[in-house]
């Protein structure tokens, strides 16, 4: 009886918090960052939050039911699109691949119906987010069925079809492809358009050293919270011969103003030892699939990627990954 009462109180508490506070920006697993902001607009409706809550509890049927109720009551509004994205992702997270295929097709059709012109991509961010989710989950379903090559061909086809889409959608497609095949391959070169910190070295010039690539954005909250652990890691491993490179990009057309913000964050938030460079490279951020920041890439002494992690990492996980590529 006490357990039942606690669950009721917990449910009511979560609901009241959701009503009182804005929801956090969704972070896709396969994370998720259309410029100037790297993710879709945060959901404002309680139904979307409850869908996310059910997904986090592994309860896909309840999430589907909430989405069905929302559609019947409010139609296919912006919150419906975000809820559909989370149900689609939830089907993959719970390993229900039959449902994942069904929902990814529904998500694709729903998104594409709203994205007919280039202007639609700029004004309908929820549909762009939904389309990215549909593409990622379809690729995951191919891999789950043992059809890795089909997944790569599918993502290549989607890359061509979306070559003029906003950066974030194109980067999400690259991210999913990287998660399937990048580990074990030579690290793609980083061509810097500009930089802060030390002059960027080429990855080729760093052969013989383990290399940690840290992709970030100066306005990213997760990046700011990652900064202290990264700084301690750099202070520990830079003297041991590990190289650190921290690429970023311009997220707006105001490059002068944005570079000043990058420099400020680099000096004040990160405060890394001398010798660490932050190349500014739109091309590198796209190729490495940085649709959400931070993203880490660990490269061994031969220039081969051993770990691709589009996530935040604890200091312990950073150390373990560095030790692995240092062997």
């Amino acid at each position: 009886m006490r357990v039942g009462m606690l669950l009721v109180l917990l449910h009511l508490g979560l609901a009241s918090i959701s009503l009182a506070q804005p929801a956090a920006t969704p972070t896709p697993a396969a994370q998720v960052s259309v410029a100037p902001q790297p993710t879709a607009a945060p959901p404002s409706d309680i139904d979307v939050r409850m869908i996310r809550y059910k997904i986090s509890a592994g309860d896909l049927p309840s999430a589907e039911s909430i989405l069905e109720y929302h559609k019947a009551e409010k139609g296919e509004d912006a919150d419906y699109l975000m809820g559909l994205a989370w149900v689609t992702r939830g089907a993959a997270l719970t390993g229900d691949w039959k449902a994942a295929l069904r929902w990814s097709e529904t998500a694709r059709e729903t998104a594409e119906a709203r994205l007919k012109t280039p202007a639609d991509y700029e004004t309908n961010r929820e549909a762009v987010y939904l389309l990215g989710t549909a593409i990622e989950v379809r690729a995951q379903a191919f891999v789950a069925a043992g059809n890795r090559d089909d997944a790569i061909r599918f993502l290549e086809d989607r890359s061509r079809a979306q070559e003029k889409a906003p950066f974030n959608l194109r980067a999400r497609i690259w991210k999913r492809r990287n998660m399937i095949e990048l580990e074990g391959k030579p690290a793609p070169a980083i061509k810097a358009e500009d930089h802060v910190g030390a002059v960027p070295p080429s990855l080729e010039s760093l052969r013989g050293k383990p290399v940690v690539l840290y992709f970030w954005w100066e306005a990213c909250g997760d990046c700011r919270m990652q900064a202290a652990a990264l700084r301690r890691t750099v202070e520990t491993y830079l003297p041991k011969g590990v190289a650190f490179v921290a690429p970023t990009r311009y997220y707006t057309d105001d490059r002068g103003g944005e570079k000043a913000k990058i420099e400020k964050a680099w000096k004040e938030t990160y405060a890394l030892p001398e010798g660490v460079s932050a190349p500014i490279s739109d091309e590198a951020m796209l190729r490495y699939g940085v649709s959400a920041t931070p993203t880490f890439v660990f490269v061994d002494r031969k220039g081969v990627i051993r770990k691709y992690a589009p996530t935040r990492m604890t200091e312990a996980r950073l150390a373990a990954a560095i030790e692995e590529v240092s062997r």
Side-chain angles (χ1 to χ4, degrees), residues 178-199:
N178 289 341
M179 293 181 76
I180 296 170
E181 68 162 4
L182 192 59
E183 292 179 0
K185 289 191 172 182
I190 296 174
K191 182 180 178 181
E193 303 157 19
D194 203 343
H195 73 278
V196 299
V199 175

Side-chain angles (χ1 to χ4, degrees), residues 215-228:
F215 296 86
W216 61 294
W217 178 35
E218 57 83 17
C220 161
D222 277 336
C223 299
R224 288 194 293 268
M225 288 184 279
Q226 180 73 74

Side-chain angles (χ1 to χ4, degrees), residues 243-317:
F244 293 83
V245 184
T248 186
R249 72 178 179 95
Y250 290 122
Y251 283 80
T252 71
D253 292 331
D254 179 17
R255 298 201 165 192
E258 193 165 4
K259 185 173 183 181
K261 292 179 181 179
I262 293 171
E263 289 176 332
K264 179 177 171 59
W266 188 245
K267 292 177 181 178
E268 298 179 4
T269 303
Y270 289 94
L272 300 179
E274 290 185 10
V276 181
S277 176
I280 300 174
S281 173
D282 199 76
E283 179 183 299
M285 294 283 275
L286 178 63
R287 177 60 185 86
Y288 280 91
V290 188
S291 62
T293 47
T295 288
F296 286 94
V297 181
F298 300 87
V299 184
D300 69 16
R301 298 177 188 275
K302 296 180 179 179
V304 175
I305 292 173
R306 294 303 173 193
K307 186 175 182 63
Y308 175 81
T311 60
R312 283 172 59 178
M313 296 185 72
T314 64
E315 193 172 347
R317 287 187 179 274

Side-chain angles (χ1 to χ4, degrees), residues 14-55:
L14 286 171
S16 64
I17 291 171
S18 296
L19 289 168
Q21 298 180 350
T25 302
T27 305
Q31 198 177 213
V32 226
S33 300
V34 176
Q37 296 182 355
T39 56
S44 60
D45 191 273
I46 185 64
D47 290 340
V48 180
R49 297 174 216 170
M50 289 307 297
I51 286 171
R52 294 174 63 184
Y53 171 73
K54 294 297 184 182
I55 293 299

Side-chain angles (χ1 to χ4, degrees), residues 22 26 28 55 64 76 81 134 140 156 185 229-230 233 281 292 296 303 325:
I55 293 299
E64 293 173 329
E76 295 185 0
L81 300 186
Q140 287 176 275
E156 287 177 344
K185 289 191 172 182
L230 177 65
T233 301
S281 173
F296 286 94
V325 297

Side-chain angles (χ1 to χ4, degrees), residues 6 9 23 56 87 98 100 103 121 127 155 158 163 169 184 189 192 206 211 214 219 222 262 270-271 279 287 310:
L6 285 172
L9 290 172
S56 69
V87 166
K98 184 177 180 180
W103 283 115
Y121 282 83
L155 291 169
R158 292 301 86 202
E163 61 183 358
L169 177 56
L206 295 176
V211 180
Y214 170 71
D222 277 336
I262 293 171
Y270 289 94
R287 177 60 185 86

